[in-house]
Amino acid sequence: MTKHIQRHHPTIVIEKPLSKKQEVVEQQLRQLYIQAKANGDTDEFHLEVLGACLNDEVVLEALITLIVVRNLSYNLVEWVEFHTLCQALNKACIGRILTSYSTVYIKTEDAWKKHKHTVRIKLQAAISHIHIALDIWTSPNRYLFLAICAYFTTYEQKKEKALLALKEVPGHSGEDQFSILLPVLQDYGIELKLGAIIADNTSPNNVLCRIIEKYIWDIYKKEWLADY
């Protein structure tokens, strides 16, 4: 019935009922305003002004950044207290902030792909070689993860660094590290821009560099000296 009215009678406005979560938010807000001895009522004009101040893309980017950088749970957006805080800051944000953790997961993945593409472009346009630092981290449950960090100079002549990947690695050997490093270099398209490589263990690092030297010569017939 609602769809019929919206399609054939657009002049009729149907107000959406508040969700149970929003009802709790409204109750908490009223209580907060009472405690602060302030007027929590917001007329329609003020809501329109407050709504005009919101940029949905900026709000989403800020939310994803908060969750990722501070390592927060995706369930944050389902917390009543979180939405109470947001609406205390701007009442017009009702319905404009994500409320499902599964949607946050999708939006986070989309943001990661977007920023990864930006890093890829910067790396490929770098005026310097791409120097790589490798470090293996052991998780509390004894899994090994290889961190791959890049150091380079951009076309704007700024020195920058970026974490390219943090992937599980089968072992500490040079061969194991190469099996993880190569697909990452290929993904970013920087095999032939490779500069120095440094790791936290001399022996596996030497083995890794010799493997890379042989690979670049065999595939591209280009010198990359492991002992340079």
Side-chain angles (χ1 to χ4, degrees), residues 2-228:
T2 301
K3 290 182 179 179
H4 171 80
I5 293 174
Q6 291 174 341
R7 185 182 300 112
H8 299 287
H9 307 281
T11 57
I12 300 177
V13 178
I14 303 177
E15 293 186 2
K16 293 183 179 180
L18 294 178
S19 65
K20 291 183 178 180
K21 184 182 299 181
Q22 184 57 35
E23 287 179 357
V24 177
V25 171
E26 293 279 356
Q27 183 179 354
Q28 289 190 359
L29 279 173
R30 283 195 294 271
Q31 187 63 33
L32 289 173
Y33 279 118
I34 290 173
Q35 292 174 359
K37 297 181 180 179
N39 183 7
D41 296 330
T42 308
D43 61 34
E44 186 175 346
F45 173 75
H46 287 155
L47 280 176
E48 188 174 339
V49 173
L50 290 172
C53 297
L54 294 173
N55 183 310
D56 291 340
E57 292 185 7
V58 172
V59 171
L60 176 61
E61 184 73 17
L63 174 60
I64 297 301
T65 300
L66 172 65
I67 291 174
V68 172
V69 174
R70 293 302 175 181
N71 196 27
L72 300 175
S73 169
Y74 290 161
N75 288 333
L76 165 71
V77 298
E78 297 187 351
W79 299 347
V80 169
E81 296 79 8
F82 169 70
H83 288 279
T84 301
L85 171 63
C86 292
Q87 291 178 34
L89 295 171
N90 189 327
K91 180 72 174 178
C93 73
I94 299 175
R96 298 178 67 170
I97 295 179
L98 299 180
T99 58
S100 169
Y101 77 90
S102 58
T103 305
V104 175
Y105 173 82
I106 295 172
K107 295 298 183 181
T108 301
E109 187 174 29
D110 290 343
W112 176 78
K113 290 178 180 177
K114 181 182 72 175
H115 291 296
K116 180 181 178 181
H117 180 66
T118 301
V119 173
R120 183 185 287 113
I121 292 174
K122 280 191 173 184
L123 287 168
Q124 293 178 358
I127 60 176
S128 70
H129 287 97
I130 311 299
H131 305 292
I132 301 294
L134 303 174
D135 188 24
I136 294 179
W137 171 74
T138 305
S139 70
N141 54 355
R142 309 307 297 171
Y143 285 99
L144 300 179
F145 290 90
L146 179 66
I148 303 173
C149 298
Y151 296 81
F152 58 100
T153 302
T154 68
Y155 58 88
E156 298 170 333
Q157 299 188 349
K158 294 181 180 179
K159 293 182 179 180
E160 290 197 14
K161 60 183 177 180
L163 174 64
L164 303 186
L166 181 63
K167 292 182 175 289
E168 187 177 349
V169 61
H172 289 84
S173 71
E175 292 84 357
D176 289 333
Q177 294 183 53
F178 178 74
S179 69
I180 302 301
L181 175 62
L182 179 60
V184 173
L185 297 177
Q186 291 173 332
D187 184 23
Y188 284 92
I190 56 175
E191 291 171 279
L192 296 180
K193 294 178 70 70
L194 188 60
I197 294 181
I198 186 170
D200 57 0
N201 192 305
T202 304
S203 180
N205 189 50
N206 290 340
V207 173
L208 171 63
C209 288
R210 286 194 288 272
I211 294 173
I212 293 173
E213 179 181 29
K214 183 178 184 303
Y215 169 81
I216 291 181
W217 177 257
D218 290 344
I219 301 300
Y220 299 106
K221 294 298 183 286
K222 181 178 177 180
E223 280 193 342
W224 186 87
L225 301 178
D227 300 322
Y228 180 73

